[in-house]
Amino acid sequence: LRLVTAQGTRTRRPKAELLSDGAARDAERTALEALIRGRIVVASNAQDGAYEIAHEALLTQWSTLQGWLTRDAADHAVRARIAQAAAEWDRVGRGGDLLWGRRQLAEARALDRASLAPRDAAFLAASARTIRTRRLLGAGGAAVLVIGALIAGLAVRARARRELEAMIADQVTAAAAGQRAARQLAAQRDVARDRAFGLFDAGRWSAGEQAWGELEAMESREERQYRGALEALDSVLLLDPARAGLRAWAADLTFERLARAERDRRRDLADELASRLLAYDDGRYRAALAADARIELTVAPAGTQVWIERTGTARQRVDRPLSPLRLRAGSLVLVFEAPGHASARLPVLLARGETRTVRIALPAAGSVPPGMIYVPPGRFLFGGAEGSDAARQVFNAAPLHEVTIPGYLIGRYEVTFAQWIEYLDDLAPDERRRRTPRSTNVVTAATSITLAEIGGGRWRLSLTPTTRTYTAETGQRLHYERRAKRADQDWMRFPVSAVSYEDAIAFASWLDRTRRIPGARLCNEYEWERAARGADDRARPAGDSFAPDDANVDVTYGREPLAFGPDEVGSHPGSRSPVGADDMAGNVWEWTRSVESLDAPVLRGGSWYQGVLSARSMNREHAEPALRGTLVGLRLCATPP
């Protein structure tokens, strides 16, 4: 409880202020060590080895601590006042002019003196001794003593008040200076941040990464200034809780930090500041924290029906008029349907209090080829929120930032062997042999896949996921030996794999040329990632959580060697994305066109042989254009007519 202020916020204290000098000192030391091991209390080298509660969330979410604070609220407030008075008394040399009187000591009478920090106990003892000494003064000089005491008391009080005002003035000055410095750094960082994002979006990733590294150091300095300013205000509120304007200032400063933390997608810090804001706010910011967003919606054709979908809630139909819509901030999907037109799903991420203009024109149903999904124009979060080192070295991702792209079409499923065989059957013999899937670059020596023409329009697939080779011909099903589910499958509906980047481009050109899918092409990374994760920064298509059967990855069939292998497309609804595309995680890697280097190939989405970490939507894997990997296939995009 000594690590919690009377205002319900964290405070740092050295060990000397936490451990008493009584018989309980060893037990107190043991308790402190246990709290440190349990990561409830943390120790730092700052301020001569200070200790503090590990996280603000413990003050509101740990029911045991809440119970202690509620039970001992009165004692806790008295202890806080004693600690503050004792600290000031010790600072000025333990003079008698800052000792407490009878009324103040009466408030502390119920406390167990043995449980107090040594300095606090010494302060109370000195105050009591001074009172006893005064009582022993002779009655003959009572009038003189009363007058002298009154004069001395006034002088002491005046001096103490002057010193208190000086301390408060110093802390107020420090808070103002810290806030000014933080705002200056914030303005500089905003300019540098826009520049860094511009470099990434212009394909200058190397320069962008260097700029982002400098930006992270700037962010750390900004945060130190904000934190120092708020700590100075906390000190003033502890000394003079009723001082006019200070609590409102602390609320303003906290909300300022909160807004920037949300903008930077720092969820933990934003949650901590939102909780802390409640300790300062007089009600002004409650409405701001709960403010709805507003969407000004224009939809064609007239009469289009609109629904709202949010994770964990039932689908909600929007009654007319459509505009404006007032919606709770957060992530959602707007669904548009109209007779004679292709439906569309628009993922949207709304900030508190923002106004968004959305214009949707549904394409005619006949203009969208079968198996393709129309994704309307919109903005989304691209990249990774992890630190730059993790994002770059593990996921090869850009820093998380908003990107806006035009509307496009994307395949509901990965391209299948059936679709690829249709392509091969239309090619001249030499070209057919060149474009026939065969793995030449494999994960292990035992992993391979081959498609062979056996005559009469028939084909044979030979698949070696690990140590066992499975074969099946046209019209036959492929059987996995060690699977408890999906053991027998139609291999023609497997995602095609062992095709190169050049093969994929040639296939898309054939679809465009034959008008099967006009405008067919490989997706660029912006299109692929937006289709995979929607508008927000979720880890995978269905969200941040993951169950083994949500996608076809290494754990889906228990990492059993004879159960590894691709699944028919659409077998895992848990990998369905907010726009309605299936298998956007796992099954096979998908060729995409890089936004880092023009027309370079990048693999996205993970595979059946690798872990769920590889299947994160932001993950990017560079690859050679000639790669014919067992785990590598493709999904198509197209430009709407």
Side-chain angles (χ1 to χ4, degrees):
L1 298 183
R2 294 176 198 159
L3 296 176
V4 183
T5 69
Q7 286 72 40
T9 60
R10 295 185 297 171
T11 186
R12 291 194 182 104
R13 291 192 185 278
K15 185 180 290 187
E17 294 184 16
L18 293 178
L19 303 183
S20 64
D21 287 332
R25 183 178 180 86
D26 289 340
E28 291 170 351
R29 182 185 293 108
T30 301
L32 179 60
E33 291 171 354
L35 291 171
I36 293 171
R37 285 196 305 274
R39 299 183 181 178
I40 292 173
V41 171
V42 295
S44 68
N45 293 325
Q47 299 183 9
D48 301 322
Y51 296 80
E52 66 177 336
I53 291 175
H55 199 282
E56 288 284 352
L58 288 168
L59 301 181
T60 57
Q61 302 300 320
W62 186 19
S63 60
T64 301
L65 178 57
Q66 286 292 307
W68 291 339
L69 290 170
T70 301
R71 184 193 64 198
D72 298 334
D75 287 352
H76 188 55
V78 174
R79 287 176 185 272
R81 291 197 294 273
I82 292 171
Q84 180 61 36
E88 181 61 13
W89 171 67
D90 188 66
R91 187 185 71 81
V92 298
R94 300 200 171 193
D97 50 356
L98 292 181
L99 295 173
W100 276 7
R102 288 192 195 91
R103 183 179 58 79
Q104 293 162 307
L105 284 176
E107 295 179 356
R109 190 171 297 135
L111 298 179
D112 179 7
R113 300 296 176 89
S115 68
L116 295 175
R119 184 178 64 190
D120 298 352
F123 171 75
L124 292 179
S127 297
R129 283 197 303 271
T130 299
I131 291 174
R132 287 195 299 272
T133 299
R134 290 172 181 167
R135 285 176 177 172
L136 294 175
L137 295 176
V144 174
L145 289 175
V146 169
I147 296 173
L150 179 59
I151 295 172
L154 291 173
V156 168
R157 185 171 296 180
R159 177 184 171 188
R161 189 64 193 177
R162 287 195 301 273
E163 291 181 350
L164 179 62
E165 289 295 335
M167 289 179 59
I168 290 175
D170 289 344
Q171 293 298 322
V172 168
T173 299
Q179 186 175 25
R180 282 196 303 273
R183 286 175 170 174
Q184 290 173 356
L185 285 167
Q188 295 169 10
R189 185 166 72 90
D190 288 348
V191 173
R193 182 175 181 271
D194 291 342
R195 176 178 174 273
F197 289 156
L199 290 170
F200 280 104
D201 292 341
R204 300 174 58 191
W205 281 44
S206 179
E209 287 169 356
Q210 181 178 353
W212 193 256
E214 297 169 356
L215 198 66
E216 288 181 323
M218 192 181 300
E219 181 181 9
S220 179
R221 294 196 302 272
E222 174 193 326
E223 180 58 27
R224 282 199 301 272
Q225 293 293 343
Y226 270 123
R227 187 170 58 248
L230 195 54
E231 287 174 354
L233 287 180
D234 281 340
S235 298
V236 178
L237 286 170
L238 186 63
L239 293 170
D240 190 356
R243 182 166 291 253
L246 286 183
R247 196 169 295 278
W249 183 4
D252 293 342
L253 183 57
T254 303
F255 189 76
E256 188 174 311
R257 289 180 66 198
L258 171 62
R260 294 188 66 76
E262 288 183 332
R263 192 280 309 268
D264 293 336
R265 316 291 172 187
R266 298 182 61 187
R267 294 179 181 172
D268 289 345
L269 178 59
D271 290 344
E272 176 187 337
L273 291 171
S275 176
R276 194 168 184 178
L277 183 60
L278 298 177
Y280 307 122
D281 187 27
D282 58 2
R284 290 180 302 139
Y285 288 111
R286 287 204 183 109
L289 289 173
D292 287 337
R294 173 188 171 105
I295 293 183
E296 296 178 350
L297 192 60
T298 302
V299 182
T304 296
Q305 184 59 60
V306 182
W307 282 269
I308 298 171
E309 292 182 0
R310 288 186 189 265
T311 302
T313 61
R315 195 186 207 199
Q316 175 188 353
R317 181 170 177 167
V318 179
D319 295 326
R320 295 187 173 276
L322 294 178
S323 187
L325 298 178
R326 292 193 176 276
L327 299 171
R328 187 177 76 252
S331 185
L332 57 93
V333 176
L334 296 176
V335 183
F336 303 90
E337 295 180 358
H341 290 76
S343 61
R345 299 173 59 85
L346 176 66
V348 179
L349 180 61
L350 297 173
R352 288 193 312 266
E354 79 163 316
T355 296
R356 178 86 65 86
T357 299
V358 174
R359 293 182 174 86
I360 298 294
L362 296 181
S367 67
V368 177
M372 301 297 284
I373 297 170
Y374 173 63
V375 183
R379 72 184 190 192
F380 70 106
L381 293 177
F382 176 78
E386 286 75 5
S388 60
D389 287 343
R392 179 171 61 252
Q393 296 175 16
V394 178
F395 300 110
N396 303 303
L400 190 70
H401 65 287
E402 284 187 354
V403 173
T404 300
I405 60 175
Y408 60 101
L409 304 178
I410 190 167
R412 186 178 302 276
Y413 304 114
E414 295 158 320
V415 173
T416 64
F417 273 102
Q419 292 170 299
W420 199 268
I421 287 172
E422 182 185 1
Y423 164 56
L424 295 177
D425 287 341
D426 195 51
L427 299 178
D430 289 344
E431 180 74 1
R432 182 185 310 150
R433 281 190 294 273
R434 195 154 66 94
R435 302 300 182 191
T436 298
R438 62 193 181 282
S439 54
T440 56
N441 310 79
V442 295
V443 175
T444 69
T447 303
S448 66
I449 192 168
T450 302
L451 182 67
E453 187 175 14
I454 57 178
R458 296 176 61 80
W459 296 81
R460 178 190 298 119
L461 179 74
S462 297
L463 169 65
T464 308
T466 52
T467 59
R468 173 77 163 84
T469 298
Y470 300 109
T471 61
E473 298 180 4
T474 302
Q476 296 178 338
R477 296 177 71 81
L478 186 143
H479 176 74
Y480 289 108
E481 286 189 5
R482 295 289 182 87
R483 284 195 181 182
K485 55 186 174 182
R486 305 188 192 93
D488 294 284
Q489 298 201 45
D490 180 1
W491 66 269
M492 295 285 276
R493 296 194 71 246
F494 282 172
V496 69
S497 61
V499 294
S500 69
Y501 185 64
E502 290 93 343
D503 292 338
I505 292 175
F507 174 69
S509 297
W510 173 77
L511 290 172
D512 179 34
R513 185 174 65 254
T514 61
R515 310 308 290 171
R516 286 172 168 84
I517 302 180
R521 52 181 171 75
L522 289 184
C523 306
N524 68 43
E525 291 189 85
Y526 287 153
E527 293 167 330
W528 190 95
E529 190 163 322
R530 183 181 177 216
R533 75 195 319 183
D536 56 34
D537 60 345
R538 65 185 64 195
R540 283 165 287 274
D544 292 333
S545 61
F546 179 79
D549 204 49
D550 283 351
N552 187 10
V553 292
D554 63 345
V555 297
T556 303
Y557 300 104
R559 297 194 178 98
E560 163 59 48
L562 298 183
F564 276 116
D567 283 330
E568 295 177 16
V569 295
S571 297
H572 299 272
S575 63
R576 183 170 298 148
S577 78
V579 304
D582 277 11
D583 301 310
M584 295 299 290
N587 224 16
V588 294
W589 291 98
E590 299 175 14
W591 286 115
T592 67
R593 293 182 293 120
S594 173
V595 296
E596 176 184 359
S597 301
L598 186 62
D599 290 330
V602 172
L603 299 175
R604 306 296 295 257
S607 75
W608 50 263
Y609 191 80
Q610 287 150 316
V612 68
L613 190 67
S614 294
R616 292 186 67 135
S617 297
M618 69 172 173
N619 187 37
R620 310 168 63 248
E621 295 292 340
H622 300 95
E624 290 296 324
L627 172 71
R628 288 175 171 270
T630 309
L631 310 177
V632 180
L634 71 148
R635 184 187 304 265
L636 292 171
C637 281
T639 303

